[in-house]
Amino acid sequence: MNASTPELPVVVIGAGPVGLAAAAHLTDRGLTPLVLEAGPAAGAAVREWSHVRLFSTWAELTDPAAEKLLAPTGWSKPDPGSYPSGGDWAEQYLEPLADALAGHVRFGARVTGVSRAGRDRVVDADRATQPFVVQVTHADGREEQLLARAVIDASGTWTTPGPAGGSGLPALGERTAADRITYRVPDLKDPAVRARYAGRRTAVIGSGASAFTALASLADLARAEHGHGTKAVWVLRRGISGATFGGGASDELPARGALGLTAKAAVDEGHADAVTGFRTAAIEHGPDDRLVLLAEDGRRLDGIDELVVLTGFRPDLSFLSEIRLGLDDRLQAPVGLAPLIDPNQHSCGTVYPHGHRELAHPEQDVYLVGMKSYGRAPTFLALTGYEQVRSVVAAIAGDLESADRVELTLPETGVCGGAGLFDTPEADQDAGGCCAPAPQLVQLGAPAAATAGEQSTTGGCCGS
């Protein structure tokens, strides 16, 4: 806590689930929050995937301090055992919570810079005693400069999705083909979006829950009467292993496990083929104006009408360039947190308990929380963010006993012990998969009416 600026607010960047929870905890401790949200409403990013159902129940999606703040308003918690969509989460919880915070939330306020008053990142003299300066650009173009005693950045990573390129850079031609590419799970319930993908061949790049959702949605479209001819091509940078479809029945979040099984069913039924070990280097337009994906090893994937890129997200650190952050050089997560979540080391959905100490930076009283604290690591759950901000706010309030009393138990994916963000075909085979990545298009699963002599793939093996 900066004792020289107790009357100033704590600026919270982002009015998503974790940012609003931080504001609720600040209010509960008698501190003044000021939430700055670039979007027009609470949960602006969540609303952009409003059609996607979460694999956490309502019991795991609300924060205790937020519930306490909401109680006097007459708000009642939805059925704890049900699974909301992103739209449900925003409308039934985030919007009422922002309303309960009243004048402490400003919308259309984009943070463009954070620094110390009169000190760029080079200057040491009296640095820790200076308030923070937060520069804001409002929706009408007006600029403002605010002072803060502490800054909690809960802005997430939604605005900076990963590219199609296997090297982490946009593939050559990726920007040129932007009108055929989406970096979000398509909302196929929207008639206009549905028409874009119906009867077409769509490549889905990615291997996580978002890719599973997209594959399952495209399979549903293919099964529909007006979706005849719809086909997905699943582009995997890795090979196929026993963990490709997640933990299944072993996942402690049943809906998350079921999602992987649903995606597996979709490909087993022949609605999707797969290209394994394919790291995209370039995207070109073919002679028929369809897209062609070129791999780093020279392979080509022709005849693609649409491309869905779901390769994760990364933090936007541009507006924090004058702040002294201590970030892991791989994950861009706080150095104290990175070893606990590094997917190069483990793939469990759980994480060891962590709070303000693991989230601290060389710049005192600045914290990255929520999805942004994970940098480029995946598998973030709302419960993690809620416990993070409880600890961080306690630390800002000077209650180190409470801040250090971190308790966090998260459900595991059922897929643990494997590293391998860059598995070789041999490593995939040794890890328990029953086939190595093929150098050509592979159908995952046999058609429902397999003839004699064809290999059944219900066990997860690749067909020929």
Side-chain angles (χ1 to χ4, degrees), residues 2 27 32 50 89 103 116 118 120-121 127 130 187 213 237 253 256 328 331 339 350 371 378 430 440-441 445 453:
N2 188 343
T27 299
T32 303
S50 61
W89 201 15
R116 290 278 190 179
D120 62 23
R121 67 181 296 156
R127 185 176 190 87
Q130 302 304 309
D187 181 4
T213 302
R237 293 172 178 174
L253 282 178
R256 181 171 60 187
D328 179 76
L331 298 185
T350 190
M371 188 64 236
D430 293 342
Q440 71 280 333
L441 193 68

Side-chain angles (χ1 to χ4, degrees), residues 75-389:
W75 177 83
S76 58
K77 187 173 182 174
D79 177 6
S82 63
Y83 295 89
S85 66
D88 296 334
W89 201 15
E91 293 169 12
Q92 298 178 41
Y93 171 64
L94 300 179
E95 188 173 323
L97 180 54
D99 290 342
L101 287 162
H104 296 297
V105 183
R106 298 184 187 178
F107 298 112
R110 181 177 300 279
V111 174
T112 57
V114 180
S115 187
R116 290 278 190 179
R119 309 289 189 274
D120 62 23
R121 67 181 296 156
V122 176
V123 178
D124 291 331
D126 299 322
R127 185 176 190 87
T129 65
Q130 302 304 309
F132 291 95
V133 175
V134 180
Q135 290 190 339
V136 181
T137 299
H138 294 272
D140 60 3
R142 177 174 55 89
E143 293 182 323
E144 185 179 12
Q145 186 165 285
L146 305 169
L147 297 180
R149 64 184 292 181
V151 175
I152 300 175
D153 183 357
S155 59
T157 57
W158 179 254
T159 60
T160 47
S167 62
L169 301 173
L172 297 178
E174 184 169 344
R175 295 184 180 91
T176 304
D179 62 330
R180 311 278 280 279
I181 303 175
T182 182
Y183 298 87
R184 310 286 189 262
V185 176
D187 181 4
L188 298 184
K189 294 180 181 178
D190 182 318
V193 176
R194 199 173 181 88
R196 174 176 173 175
Y197 294 93
R200 299 196 175 189
R201 191 166 184 248
T202 299
V204 178
I205 303 179
S207 58
S210 294
F212 292 166
T213 302
L215 290 169
S217 296
L218 288 167
D220 284 342
L221 179 57
R223 297 184 190 105
E225 182 178 352
H226 55 280
H228 179 72
T230 303
K231 186 76 172 183
V233 180
W234 191 14
V235 180
L236 289 154
R237 293 172 178 174
R238 303 170 60 180
I240 300 294
S241 76
T244 296
F245 292 98
S250 298
D251 196 316
E252 292 183 15
L253 282 178
R256 181 171 60 187
L259 179 60
L261 295 177
T262 300
K264 185 180 185 302
V267 296
D268 281 350
E269 292 172 13
H271 298 301
D273 295 326
V275 175
T276 59
F278 192 102
R279 296 182 172 89
T280 307
I283 300 173
E284 299 179 349
H285 284 80
D288 56 357
D289 200 37
R290 301 173 86 187
L291 298 180
V292 179
L293 306 187
L294 304 177
E296 293 174 354
D297 61 8
R299 286 181 294 165
R300 295 171 57 93
L301 182 57
D302 298 279
I304 301 299
D305 297 301
E306 297 288 340
L307 182 58
V308 179
V309 179
L310 302 169
T311 56
F313 296 85
R314 52 191 58 176
D316 177 9
L317 302 168
S318 60
F319 59 87
L320 300 174
S321 61
E322 294 305 315
I323 292 296
R324 297 175 179 180
L325 299 178
L327 298 175
D328 179 76
D329 57 5
R330 290 171 298 176
L331 298 185
Q332 294 179 299
V335 292
L337 175 61
L340 307 181
I341 60 174
D342 188 349
N344 288 291
Q345 304 302 322
H346 57 82
S347 61
C348 292
T350 190
V351 62
Y352 293 106
H354 65 276
H356 74 109
R357 295 195 185 277
E358 291 80 9
L359 297 170
H361 294 277
E363 195 79 68
Q364 184 180 348
D365 293 327
V366 169
Y367 298 94
L368 310 186
V369 298
M371 188 64 236
K372 192 162 186 177
S373 72
Y374 267 42
R376 299 190 182 204
T379 327
F380 183 82
L381 296 175
L383 288 175
T384 304
Y386 296 157
E387 180 61 10
Q388 285 180 342
V389 296

